[in-house]
Amino acid sequence: QVQLAESGGGLVQPGGSLKLSCATSQSVIRFYPMGWYRQAPGKQRVLVAGTSTGGNVNYVDSVRGRFTVSRDNAKGTVDLQMNNLKPEDTAVYYCNAKIGLVDYWGKGTLVTVSS
């Protein structure tokens, strides 16, 4: 059973920072691509940042230069450091693992950017 546990969401003012963390098992993090998605109210879930087992990373244009994704195989974590947050970053953020043709999801963590 694939388990993905997110933490680190919360309320932050515009311009602030938050760090999200996703914990999973060694059998997942060592062998499969992982990433972070977000879903804003009334919108579809979209990719924010992805990371491959080989260390490649990719970002959606709207967060490039502000967000940094990193994976630590030893700890079994994929982190998303979010800086200079904007109100439009408000969403539920989900950790994702792609195993073959199947997407696995965490329960999500809410990030609210508001003054």
Side-chain angles (χ1 to χ4, degrees), residues 50-78:
T51 173
S52 72
T53 56
N56 294 322
V57 298
N58 62 288
Y59 301 94
V60 66
D61 286 346
S62 60
V63 308
R64 189 173 291 114
R66 300 188 297 123
F67 290 12
T68 302
V69 65
S70 60
R71 64 195 292 160
D72 187 325
N73 287 353
K75 293 181 180 179
T77 57
V78 178

Side-chain angles (χ1 to χ4, degrees), residues 2 4 6 37 45 94-98 103-108:
V2 176
L4 305 171
E6 303 105 333
Y37 286 67
R45 192 175 299 186
Y94 296 91
C95 182
N96 170 270
K98 296 187 182 297
D103 281 302
Y104 291 86
W105 302 96
K107 293 181 179 180

Side-chain angles (χ1 to χ4, degrees), residues 21-33:
S21 186
C22 173
T24 189
S25 64
Q26 291 289 309
S27 62
V28 172
I29 197 166
R30 289 189 178 275
F31 300 110
Y32 301 107

